[in-house]
Amino acid sequence: ARLCRIPVYGAGSSAACLARATSRPVGILGLIDEVPPCMERILSGRIVASVSPEGVENVLDLWGETGKAATVKAAGSLVSAGAGAIVLACTGMTPMGVAHGLRQTTSLPVFDPLVSAVTLALLLLKGELEGKTEEFRISSGFTGKGA
């Protein structure tokens, strides 16, 4: 990131940024119990717990019924710990639709890391495009009224 002249946003930090914007206590759900450092830095003081689904060793384990049930149970433990939002700390959960499923079972906002990264990129691009539109309007004298 220091070598680039453009902003670089990772999936985990994007999810953490969006979760932070909710001002809710956050639970982290990943494949290991440790909080990723980027999430720790962004969510400092807002993390109530970090858990992993019991018996899940890798992302492939999530695809079976046992892995799915363990994921729902782990999310339930985050709710019990006081989480008001959940951040997924595994990009492998995206194709399975874990965030959507957990939103339904927990009624909490659940932030998928890959979807969060795309969301932030779109927000940044929208701001840049709006800025360019304003520059065009000013420099061209365009008022937006019909010709």
Side-chain angles (χ1 to χ4, degrees), residues 10-121:
S13 59
S14 296
C17 284
L18 292 178
R20 182 182 171 108
T22 68
S23 299
R24 297 172 179 231
V26 177
I28 309 293
L29 177 61
L31 295 184
I32 59 173
D33 291 341
E34 290 93 32
V35 177
C38 68
M39 291 183 183
E40 180 75 49
R41 189 175 57 256
I42 293 166
L43 294 169
S44 63
R46 291 192 164 104
I47 300 171
V48 296
S50 181
V51 299
S52 59
E54 188 176 332
V56 172
E57 307 250 339
N58 63 59
V59 73
L60 296 177
D61 294 337
L62 294 170
W63 286 92
E65 291 307 314
T66 303
K68 290 176 186 176
T71 301
V72 170
K73 185 176 179 183
S77 73
L78 292 173
V79 173
S80 295
I86 297 173
V87 172
L88 302 181
C90 173
T91 58
M93 293 178 176
T94 301
M96 298 177 53
V98 170
H100 177 72
L102 292 181
R103 280 185 208 108
Q104 291 182 330
T105 60
T106 65
S107 299
L108 295 179
V110 180
F111 297 93
D112 178 288
L114 293 179
V115 173
S116 296
V118 170
T119 300
L120 283 182

Side-chain angles (χ1 to χ4, degrees), residues 128-145:
E128 286 186 25
L129 290 174
E130 287 173 351
K132 296 294 182 198
T133 302
E134 185 65 13
E135 287 175 24
F136 171 79
R137 187 186 68 73
I138 291 168
S139 66
S140 68
F142 180 72
T143 62
K145 297 177 183 172

